Amino acid sequence: MLTLRHGVVSSLNRLKQFTGLPQADRRLLLRGFRVVVGVRLALWLVPFRVVRRWAAGRQVSKRPEKARVRSLSWAVQAAARRIPGASCLTQALALQYLLARAGENARVRIGVSIGEAGGF
């Protein structure tokens, strides 16, 4: 019973936080949710190369200001914390998609680092 009650209280607190945001931030957060969920589902359903090409897209407006880039990053990170399986790859592709639509030519680089001992 305690777990159920805690979950309800936690959900109400999140709803209160969300409704306390300015309207522009609420819209941005909802857009972040839609894109992160879309990327997450796409990574499950279609080949990675297709998702990567879609996320890169093409620029549709002028270069964004730095504050806008930070806002998009915030929206993706906030949404990803609440979406199961929203890995760093999911977040990177979602942010790349949003930045491309904002006029920023972002590139996702995938790689690993090899330590001094020769391992990951």
Side-chain angles (χ1 to χ4, degrees):
M1 186 70 162
L2 180 62
T3 304
L4 178 61
R5 184 174 180 199
H6 175 71
V8 170
V9 170
S10 179
S11 295
L12 290 174
N13 286 338
R14 286 186 188 142
L15 181 61
K16 187 176 180 180
Q17 284 179 325
F18 178 76
T19 57
L21 291 172
Q23 184 177 2
D25 287 349
R26 287 194 309 260
R27 275 196 307 264
L28 185 61
L29 184 56
L30 290 173
R31 186 174 181 207
F33 268 104
R34 285 192 311 268
V35 174
V36 172
V37 167
V39 170
R40 186 69 215 119
L41 290 172
L43 286 170
W44 280 332
L45 300 172
V46 297
F48 173 72
R49 63 179 159 49
V50 174
V51 179
R52 190 171 191 178
R53 195 174 330 122
W54 169 80
R58 59 183 149 87
Q59 294 178 357
V60 296
S61 64
K62 62 184 179 183
R63 286 182 77 75
E65 62 225 37
K66 286 195 182 276
R68 181 71 176 160
V69 171
R70 278 193 294 274
S71 295
L72 292 172
S73 178
W74 166 80
V76 168
Q77 290 174 358
R81 282 193 299 270
R82 291 158 180 87
I83 298 171
S87 64
C88 57
L89 177 61
T90 301
Q91 294 174 57
L93 293 170
L95 185 57
Q96 182 183 30
Y97 172 86
L98 291 170
L99 287 172
R101 272 57 187 182
E104 183 66 44
N105 186 15
R107 209 178 323 178
V108 173
R109 295 187 185 254
I110 300 171
V112 296
S113 177
I114 298 179
E116 292 177 21
F120 289 119

